[in-house]
Amino acid sequence: MQFAVLGSGSRGNATIIRCGQTTLLVDNGFSGKELERRLASIGCGVEHLDAILVTHEHSDHIGGVGVVSRRFQLPVWMTQGTAGSSRLGAVNELNIIDQSADFSIGDINVLAVPVMHDAREPCQFIFSHGQIRLGMLTDLGCVDDAVFSAYQRCTSLILEANYDEQLLARGPYPAMLKQRVGGRYGHLSNRQTADFLSLHHSQSPGVLKMLVMAHISEKNNTTECVKAALEPVVADAVTQYYAQQEHVLGFIDAH
Ligand SMILES: [Zn+2]
Ligand SMILES: [Zn+2]
């Protein structure tokens, strides 16, 4: 299984997962043209995609889903709540995700995990094939027990570290937005992410092989703050990457 992060952050998200004969696009917050440009940079075209999965209806995740689905006749998977959002528009073929059961698209097994976030029925995904379990976990305000146990056996993670608590408090956002981001239905702080990784390590020592830090706020965080928060809790053996808003993180083998 390989993945590429085409972009990550509040101005647009898109991730490619490929395994065997199957290539999935998870979320698309970019225009059709921008998606094509980013795909081309990793030697991929929209015609290589088999399906689109959508985590929730915020525009940085769903903004470009309808247009790409219609133009390239791609089937789309999402929860009922996300599908009911007015932000979706028409799609080529809509498949509703049942959050209680995993399902397969081609060679990839998919588990949708409900998360706490200020959207109608948001979920995040765990992709598996053989021994590899790649978990995507962004856009959630807290890691509850159900989320933790779902992600506990992940061998690779694309994980949110959205904000530094002090930078958010001192930063430019209005008070309402600060409360939203920092609340139980907002995003994960560096500290929350470090706590999650620390628990992951203590409950499942040695299981995590690879970590991609994602959805890092450009206003309320820095790569240095994320690194400082994670250094004490991430083992040296774990390969680390940082997904960015402007730059594509090209194909990486999941472990
Ligand atoms: Zn987002
Ligand atoms: Zn969101």
Side-chain angles (χ1 to χ4, degrees):
M1 186 185 293
Q2 290 187 310
F3 64 92
V5 184
L6 301 180
S8 179
S10 59
R11 290 188 289 116
N13 295 273
T15 302
I16 300 290
I17 315 284
R18 84 179 171 194
C19 184
Q21 299 299 309
T22 307
T23 304
L24 306 179
L25 170 64
V26 185
D27 290 336
N28 180 31
F30 300 110
S31 69
K33 228 183 202 124
E34 181 64 10
L35 180 75
E36 285 187 276
R37 190 185 73 74
R38 290 181 184 238
L39 278 170
S41 77
I42 54 168
C44 207
V46 182
E47 69 278 8
H48 295 123
L49 302 177
D50 295 300
I52 309 175
L53 283 81
V54 184
T55 57
H56 65 297
E57 73 272 23
H58 289 162
S59 56
D60 56 321
H61 299 263
I62 208 170
V65 168
V67 65
V68 171
S69 164
R70 291 192 301 275
R71 195 179 299 163
F72 298 95
Q73 278 140 45
L74 288 168
V76 180
W77 268 259
M78 65 186 71
T79 63
Q80 185 75 56
T82 303
S85 145
S86 57
R87 293 197 186 130
L88 178 61
V91 296
N92 174 57
E93 175 199 316
L94 179 62
N95 299 271
I96 297 298
I97 293 171
D98 171 1
Q99 300 208 62
S100 61
D102 57 350
F103 59 100
S104 287
I105 303 176
D107 296 314
I108 302 175
N109 185 267
V110 184
L111 176 67
V113 181
V115 291
M116 290 169 72
H117 191 53
D118 55 355
R120 287 179 173 215
E121 193 185 354
C123 68
Q124 291 291 315
F125 296 112
I126 297 173
F127 303 98
S128 57
H129 182 90
Q131 299 299 308
I132 296 172
R133 282 173 75 82
L134 168 62
M136 282 187 64
L137 191 58
T138 71
D139 297 79
L140 71 166
C142 62
V143 179
D144 58 22
D145 290 347
V147 170
F148 182 78
S149 63
Y151 283 81
Q152 192 177 351
R153 290 187 300 119
C154 281
T155 52
S156 295
L157 283 173
I158 300 171
L159 178 63
E160 169 168 80
N162 183 261
Y163 66 95
D164 173 88
E165 285 167 4
Q166 278 160 20
L167 290 182
L168 177 66
R170 280 193 261 124
Y173 280 6
M176 283 277 286
L177 190 52
K178 286 181 183 180
Q179 268 176 24
R180 198 223 119 200
V181 169
R184 285 175 66 75
Y185 291 88
H187 290 275
L188 292 183
S189 69
N190 297 345
R191 181 182 56 79
Q192 286 173 294
T193 299
D195 288 348
F196 166 72
L197 287 168
S198 173
L199 192 60
H200 194 286
H201 182 67
S202 68
Q203 303 279 314
S204 313
V207 167
L208 185 65
K209 307 283 190 309
M210 173 182 291
L211 179 61
V212 178
M213 300 319 302
H215 220 303
I216 298 170
S217 169
E218 293 171 299
K219 296 209 165 73
N220 305 309
N221 211 351
T222 64
T223 308
E224 289 66 35
C225 286
V226 179
K227 278 185 182 154
L230 299 193
E231 215 215 321
V233 297
V234 179
D236 291 342
V238 178
T239 317
Q240 288 180 60
Y241 297 91
Y242 286 77
Q244 296 177 49
Q245 183 72 78
E246 293 300 339
H247 300 288
V248 173
L249 186 60
F251 278 114
I252 297 170
D253 289 317
H255 289 280

